[in-house]
Amino acid sequence: MTELQDLAHKLLDEGTVQVVIGWEDSRRGARPVTITDAEDASRLIFDSRCVHNLATYLNPRRSQVRALGKPAVVVKGCDTKAVAALLRESQFERDEVVLIGVRCGGVVKDPTSDGVLTEETTAPRCVACDVREPRLADYIVGEAQPEPPQNTSLDDMVAKLDAMTPDERLEFWTAQMEKCTRCYACRQACAICTCDRCVVDKTVPQWIERAPHARGNFSWHLIRALHHAGRCVECGECERACPAGIPLMLLNRKVQQIVAESFDFTATDDLDAVQPIGDFLADDHEDFIV
Amino acid sequence: MSANAFISNEQLAGLVAAVVASGTRVIAPVTADDGTATYSPINSLAEATLNGALPNPSLKAHFLPPTETLMSWRQHGSDIEIGSPPDSFAPQLVLGARPCDAAAMDIVDSVMNWDYKDELWNARRDATTVISLACPGIDDSCFCTAVGLGPDSSRGADVLLVAVDDGYLAEFATERGAAFLADNAQFFSAAADTAVAQADESRAAARSAVEANLNVDTKRIEQWVGDHFDDEFWLTLGPRCNGCGACAFVCPTCHCFDIADEQSGVGTGVRRRSWDTCQSNVFTVHASGHNPRGDQNARYRQRINHKFYIYPSKFGDVLCTGCGRCIRACPAGQDLVEILQTIDGKAANEQEGVA
């Protein structure tokens, strides 16, 4: 991937950016890295283990990243949808970041694995991907890649939950919610969790119980899912980050399905798209109003 | 009972059955359908998976639960009825604890009995007998030997088991452990010399396997961290970090908690303590809005400081058992093995520079 390394070297060397946010190889697989010295650009990689959505490092509240200077960020097509969401929500200006798009043939769920793409190992976000060549980018690097194996298990599981009775579904989710210890790895890994102060951190008054019991955990995860209606780009980073193994993407997928049906909106890299949660249209559905 | 007591697989099953029948809760690693493991109550040995997947959360969750009630209140007119948490717990037995998890209990005892004696922690500790099982090592994120422990360390355990053909060798590490073995002597027999030799061999093999992952001088690290609060090295650790509590919550020694009241109606409620983490922005933010640990560089430095400088300075122990859970849990690839290696290298260079 010398094309990527050469470009990063050039951008740093000529001072276009002060930091390149990308992936490097490590003792335990691929991981995010911030490169500030052009001579370190040779550490950059891109391969099927680069599952992390690096758009999360563009959150302006990550002051330790901001302090490094103007960034270039290496993005897969799916990650550009998160960048677009951040731009639409005015988190930063388009000219404040350089986007290095990589042509992608799919990524695995586990960046510490060997990176071999099979139906089982491929990340759910790669299903029916429409941006394997990024469009929202200043540069595009890498060869065109073949389509990854397709795995519909996430949609299958959502359908299975839909088919359950409310009591069965409650039982399923209660068992999942009991596992949550409120480490907030889901929120912190999320590219679009950009609130200055998360509602769960507001305790005067306390809106959501902070204790990790099933009731408080339900409140937390459902409020988070609803706040992401029409904003979630379904990168799956929350679920990957969860140390308790809670299948959070089942919630997010379901919510985005409802948004697609009700508002004809799906996550997009189109900067001019109108996000349902942030806009009012005179012909919005109102059939939920009694 | 000497170090050479043997218990066969069948007799261990019998021992578990007898303990369960006596009304004592038995906690052991249990593997779920998805391959993950937890320390959960068992009714028979068959339900346990000894030395299977590393359980999550660590054993600390049975002594400092993710959340627990400290008090409750209920208003009756002008009277208020205060409910207290239990001051004692029913006896329980932990079987098959990882040595890194058992050691964590002993290490955290220090802070739980420092200026304030934590009644709930101590009551659960008093009620529990811990039988750990020598570990073969998990993967390249294990580094217990680098922090003064080992895959066959008996620290924090009352009894240590070592797997051999057809069963286990048992050795007691505390008076409680000796009493437990004596009370259950009918399940044990004298170990054959071949079993003793096999145990010695497997313990040595596991030790050298873990030693290959990381070999550092924690005293030297303690000094370097203490002397380099403003070092530029810390600025390299924050940018990658997401600032979540995954590392702290899977950690067997992290013990910080937050206390919050939960009202459940007019005049009723409970006061709970729940796990908290120094990696969170709100952990240190002041009412004024000022945050002395204003970014993730400062917060990650705090994590390393507390574990490898502050706690050792105060209590003589590194606040880390080398279990590697933080490394495996980190979605961003923050790697404590690599960080300790780097700090140790910096400390070594300084020592050489001085010499």
Side-chain angles (χ1 to χ4, degrees):
Chain A
M1 189 36 91
T2 56
E3 191 185 356
L4 171 61
Q5 295 167 355
D6 290 347
L7 175 60
H9 187 283
K10 176 172 167 285
L11 291 172
L12 287 165
D13 195 43
E14 69 193 14
T16 307
V17 299
Q18 282 74 53
V19 56
V20 176
I21 304 165
W23 297 272
E24 69 173 355
D25 214 348
S26 78
R27 204 176 62 91
R28 285 174 51 81
R31 65 175 179 183
V33 66
T34 47
I35 302 280
T36 51
D37 183 340
E39 298 314 308
D40 290 333
S42 57
R43 284 161 63 184
L44 290 168
I45 60 160
F46 177 70
D47 59 39
S48 61
R49 298 168 305 156
C50 298
V51 57
H52 322 74
N53 181 353
L54 302 181
T56 199
Y57 289 93
L58 298 177
N59 182 340
R61 286 145 202 90
R62 292 203 180 203
S63 52
Q64 64 280 353
V65 180
R66 281 249 146 161
L68 299 175
K70 181 177 177 178
V73 60
V74 189
V75 281
K76 304 181 291 292
C78 50
D79 304 333
T80 65
K81 295 182 182 180
V83 175
L86 293 170
L87 285 167
R88 288 194 299 262
E89 295 182 0
S90 306
Q91 293 298 317
F92 48 84
E93 297 297 324
R94 178 68 185 84
D95 61 7
E96 287 182 295
V97 58
V98 172
L99 298 174
I100 304 175
V102 283
R103 293 187 179 88
C104 178
V107 289
V108 291
K109 295 175 204 164
D110 178 5
T112 68
S113 71
D114 60 11
V116 175
L117 292 160
T118 68
E119 252 184 60
E120 284 71 40
T121 63
T122 303
R125 74 169 101 158
C126 302
V127 175
C129 176
D130 59 349
V131 278
R132 286 190 294 114
E133 174 158 334
R135 294 174 290 250
L136 178 62
D138 298 297
Y139 303 91
I140 296 183
V141 298
E143 301 288 320
Q145 300 289 321
E147 186 176 85
Q150 299 289 298
N151 176 344
T152 58
S153 60
L154 180 60
D155 281 339
D156 295 347
M157 191 61 198
V158 170
K160 192 174 155 192
L161 282 169
D162 280 344
M164 286 181 181
T165 65
D167 283 348
E168 289 169 340
R169 210 156 41 231
L170 183 63
E171 189 182 344
F172 172 87
W173 280 114
T174 301
Q176 296 300 333
M177 290 301 147
E178 282 171 351
K179 297 193 289 191
C180 175
T181 54
R182 299 291 191 93
C183 69
Y184 301 115
C186 47
R187 177 185 72 188
Q188 297 302 113
C190 177
I192 59 161
C193 265
T194 52
C195 290
D196 260 334
R197 190 145 192 180
C198 176
V199 66
V200 78
D201 288 338
K202 291 178 180 168
T203 51
V204 187
Q206 182 174 277
W207 298 99
I208 302 176
E209 289 167 322
R210 284 177 63 82
H213 45 55
R215 188 185 60 218
N217 294 342
F218 261 113
S219 302
W220 159 239
H221 287 291
L222 291 180
I223 284 176
R224 184 168 175 274
L226 287 174
H227 194 202
H228 289 186
R231 298 176 64 237
C232 176
V233 297
E234 300 189 59
C235 67
E237 286 289 86
C238 51
E239 181 170 312
R240 189 179 68 79
C242 178
I246 301 170
L248 291 166
M249 281 307 295
L250 292 173
L251 275 182
N252 291 330
R253 182 84 189 112
K254 178 64 186 171
V255 172
Q256 299 341 302
Q257 282 177 357
I258 294 169
V259 169
E261 286 162 19
S262 302
F263 300 99
D264 192 27
F265 180 89
T266 52
T268 172
D269 57 0
D270 178 0
L271 294 181
D272 297 323
V274 175
Q275 294 192 168
I277 203 169
D279 203 71
F280 172 78
L281 298 178
D283 59 351
D284 269 349
H285 289 283
E286 291 181 347
D287 42 352
F288 59 91
I289 297 173
V290 182
Chain B
M1 189 77 58
S2 76
N4 293 346
F6 172 79
I7 185 165
S8 68
N9 294 325
E10 292 74 25
Q11 293 285 25
L12 183 60
L15 174 60
V16 169
V19 173
V20 170
S22 75
T24 297
R25 193 164 84 129
V26 178
I27 294 163
V30 172
T31 305
D33 292 341
D34 63 3
T36 60
T38 51
Y39 286 112
S40 298
I42 58 168
N43 291 309
S44 73
L45 182 62
E47 295 172 24
T49 313
L50 300 181
N51 271 346
L54 184 65
N56 264 324
S58 78
L59 194 56
K60 84 172 173 193
H62 284 282
F63 297 86
L64 180 68
T67 183
E68 67 182 326
T69 302
L70 298 181
M71 62 166 269
S72 62
W73 68 89
R74 179 178 290 275
Q75 193 177 346
H76 306 281
S78 56
D79 292 332
I80 296 176
E81 177 192 339
I82 299 291
S84 299
D87 54 12
S88 68
F89 291 88
Q92 60 180 2
L93 174 73
V94 175
L95 174 67
R98 295 277 175 176
C100 47
D101 284 347
M105 302 295 110
D106 200 49
I107 292 168
V108 176
D109 275 346
S110 301
V111 70
M112 292 297 190
N113 290 282
W114 172 41
D115 57 345
Y116 181 77
K117 310 266 183 264
D118 194 291
E119 295 99 337
L120 288 163
W121 171 274
N122 288 333
R124 288 192 179 92
R125 291 280 282 142
D126 289 345
T128 309
T129 302
V130 177
I131 301 179
S132 62
L133 171 60
C135 171
I138 310 257
D139 60 20
D140 59 5
S141 292
C142 289
F143 59 98
C144 55
T145 51
V147 289
L149 299 167
D152 62 339
S153 166
S154 62
R155 185 166 180 195
D158 298 301
V159 175
L160 173 72
L161 300 180
V162 184
V164 293
D165 288 343
D166 306 319
Y168 301 88
L169 291 196
E171 64 182 53
F172 63 82
T174 62
E175 282 179 23
R176 183 204 285 265
F180 180 85
L181 292 185
D183 290 348
N184 295 283
Q186 71 272 26
F187 295 100
F188 294 87
S189 58
D193 289 346
T194 49
V196 175
Q198 188 194 357
D200 287 346
E201 199 175 314
S202 70
R203 291 171 77 156
R207 276 188 165 270
S208 56
V210 175
E211 278 165 3
N213 293 338
L214 182 68
N215 191 356
V216 292
D217 179 343
T218 53
K219 276 290 167 200
R220 176 160 88 183
I221 289 175
E222 178 184 335
Q223 184 164 357
W224 192 91
V225 173
D227 290 345
H228 293 79
F229 189 77
D230 291 318
D231 198 272
E232 290 195 348
F233 173 65
W234 305 116
L235 306 181
T236 67
L237 299 182
R240 169 176 295 124
C241 178
N242 282 347
C244 72
C247 51
F249 285 17
V250 298
C251 175
T253 61
C254 275
H255 51 265
C256 288
F257 53 80
D258 185 29
I259 296 176
D261 289 350
E262 286 181 357
Q263 295 216 117
S264 49
V266 176
T268 64
V270 294
R271 173 164 298 169
R272 292 177 165 276
R273 70 169 168 189
S274 307
W275 289 353
D276 202 352
T277 170
C278 58
Q279 296 311 288
S280 153
N281 172 46
V282 293
F283 188 78
T284 41
V285 71
H286 294 176
S288 67
H290 171 67
N291 193 340
R293 296 181 202 140
D295 66 13
Q296 213 54 40
N297 294 328
R299 293 192 276 272
Y300 202 81
R301 173 179 61 191
Q302 169 62 23
R303 180 169 177 77
I304 301 292
N305 258 268
H306 192 199
K307 291 194 170 295
F308 297 97
Y309 169 63
I310 300 169
Y311 205 88
S313 307
K314 199 163 188 67
F315 300 117
D317 271 319
V318 171
L319 189 65
C320 170
T321 66
C323 73
R325 281 187 179 87
C326 56
I327 302 170
R328 299 181 197 101
C330 182
Q334 195 81 301
D335 184 351
L336 189 55
V337 160
E338 183 186 61
I339 291 166
L340 290 177
Q341 190 89 66
T342 305
I343 296 175
D344 191 54
K346 288 174 181 290
N349 287 342
E350 279 196 8
Q351 277 185 351
E352 282 169 22
V354 170

